[in-house]
Amino acid sequence: MLEFVGLGPGPFCGMLLADLGADVLRLDRADAARKGFDGPSRNPMNRGKRSAAVDLKSPDGVAAALRLAGEADALIEPFRPGVMERLGLGPDVCLERNPKLVYGRLTGWGQEGPLAKAAGHDIDYIALAGMLEPIGRAGQPPSIPLNLIGDFGGGGLLLAYGLVSALLSATRTGRGQVVDAAMIDGAAVLGATWFTMAANGGLGPRGTNLLDGGAPFYDVYETADAKFVAVGSIEPHFWAELLARLGLSEDPAFEKQYDRTAWPAMKARLAEVFATRDRDAWCELLEGTDSCFAPVLSPAEAPAHPHHQARGTFRDIDGLPEPAPAPRFGGTPAGVPARPLNPGPAEDGGDTDAALAAWGLAAGEIAALRESGAVV
């Protein structure tokens, strides 16, 4: 798999596939490699990949990239529409050279449409897709859900899904194809349930619904030590379990769980109760029960939790935690491939010669490319 380097969602897509055994070659920018590496010491999204720095402004560099596309099963390109065509690496050229190639295109707005060539970021894509407006508290502006919905969920993850599906088709038909993964499309797909609810009149204003913090039994509450806990006791029997453990079973304020007019009073009372103890004390009482409870952990705290420790959800690489590959496979678990899952080269183009050789370029070809400055 050939990954033209880009921002988060492209490398995330490559990481997902490398985690599951794909041989991913990251094509880094030659100018970045010449300047030297000044990024973080470890980026999990580079793990399990090789890196070659290729100058796509050089005809020889473009020719080298096309040669690699001829050897690839799949390709990831994260540029604005038309960029790869101007480079001479568009899908028509690459598929003519390699008819079985799956050509993955990752953009915000898609390959066509009035906004296709405009700049944008995650917040813009999810805003137009209708997925930003419903998120947040009542009476407050929409809350920004990091860049999880557009970039990573609707972009990188959906592209990985599309590539695997198209690769399955290619093994059966012998023909590759273009996969157009637009973050605006992916964000809309992730919101399928909410579009249905809105169309049926079942979606109220922001912050007043079942799953957006409007309900007292699906919300976060501050504890005595200024930390937070999460409650998700949607079903009546789980709600009853929570109330029993909080000593609120006989409180008449909680008799009608789904009476929306009573929700504000319920929330206020629960806030008072949770504010009486530290987060750890609530964990001791509620964690692991059917009250649907969890502490709200920071990214720095999460890897140390006993459940993650037991499952190996995170792994330690030289003292730095990172999420382990997911999902898990019973017959072909991640980590089995001959190339060990490692963080990957820290530097752009950190193993250019070895990577190009592994993809079939002869030593003389690599030497000539390096001499011309087409690779770094």
Side-chain angles (χ1 to χ4, degrees):
M1 188 161 296
L2 194 62
E3 176 195 314
F4 287 80
V5 73
L7 298 176
F12 178 67
C13 175
M15 181 199 80
L16 294 175
L17 297 167
D19 280 353
L20 301 185
D23 181 357
V24 180
L25 173 57
R26 193 178 89 228
L27 287 192
D28 285 308
R29 295 182 177 87
D31 54 355
R34 293 188 182 105
K35 287 191 296 185
F37 181 75
D38 60 359
S41 59
R42 172 168 287 110
N43 183 350
M45 290 192 291
N46 290 338
R47 67 191 184 196
K49 304 176 185 179
R50 284 185 277 251
S51 169
V54 178
D55 188 353
L56 296 180
K57 297 177 182 178
S58 157
D60 288 342
V62 171
L66 185 58
R67 168 78 180 276
L68 294 169
E71 300 294 327
D73 295 304
L75 177 154
I76 299 169
E77 70 92 354
F79 306 124
R80 287 202 213 184
V83 170
M84 289 291 275
E85 284 83 353
R86 290 194 295 273
L87 290 172
L89 295 169
D92 291 345
V93 174
C94 290
L95 284 164
E96 181 179 3
R97 185 179 186 97
N98 180 0
K100 291 184 66 175
L101 179 69
V102 173
Y103 193 105
R105 316 201 79 171
L106 180 60
T107 60
W109 303 113
Q111 294 297 314
E112 65 279 321
L115 299 176
K117 295 186 183 299
H121 278 296
D122 177 287
I123 191 172
D124 308 306
Y125 312 138
I126 68 172
L128 197 66
M131 281 291 95
L132 178 60
E133 192 278 339
I135 299 174
R137 295 289 179 180
Q140 298 294 319
S143 296
I144 301 170
L146 302 178
N147 58 332
L148 297 173
I149 297 177
D151 281 352
F152 292 109
L157 184 60
L158 265 290
L159 178 58
Y161 169 67
L163 291 177
V164 170
S165 300
L167 284 166
L168 178 61
S169 173
T171 63
R172 294 177 172 175
T173 66
R175 297 189 303 275
Q177 59 184 297
V178 174
V179 178
D180 175 7
M183 297 172 208
I184 190 169
D185 298 342
V189 167
L190 292 175
T193 295
W194 285 268
F195 284 107
T196 301
M197 292 171 62
N200 293 335
L203 187 66
R206 180 171 55 253
T208 67
N209 299 281
L210 187 70
L211 302 177
D212 62 5
F217 46 82
Y218 201 89
D219 206 349
V220 295
Y221 294 95
E222 188 171 1
T223 57
D225 52 352
K227 296 180 181 179
F228 292 88
V229 294
V231 170
S233 311
I234 298 175
E235 294 81 0
H237 54 291
F238 296 147
W239 178 235
E241 173 88 5
L242 177 69
L243 295 180
R245 291 181 176 275
L246 295 180
L248 297 173
S249 294
E250 304 303 321
D251 191 325
F254 295 94
E255 287 180 354
K256 298 180 180 180
Q257 179 182 358
Y258 288 99
D259 180 359
R260 290 177 179 253
T261 64
W263 281 3
M266 291 186 199
K267 287 169 68 77
R269 178 70 179 117
L270 286 174
E272 290 177 358
V273 171
F274 280 114
T276 62
R277 302 188 191 183
D278 289 351
R279 188 183 70 184
D280 288 349
W282 289 119
C283 288
E284 186 175 348
L285 177 67
L286 298 172
E287 197 168 17
T289 72
D290 279 356
S291 55
C292 300
F293 165 92
V296 177
L297 302 180
S298 71
E301 293 175 302
H305 191 277
H307 189 74
H308 295 316
Q309 293 282 316
R311 285 186 55 80
T313 305
F314 296 86
R315 54 184 199 165
D316 188 281
I317 305 294
D318 297 332
L320 297 176
E322 61 182 51
R328 305 179 185 198
F329 295 82
T332 55
V336 168
R339 286 184 304 104
L341 290 173
N342 54 59
E347 297 184 3
D348 296 332
D351 47 8
T352 295
D353 289 10
L356 295 181
W359 275 55
L361 273 69
E365 293 179 278
I366 297 171
L369 289 168
R370 189 172 290 282
E371 178 67 24
S372 71
V375 302
V376 179

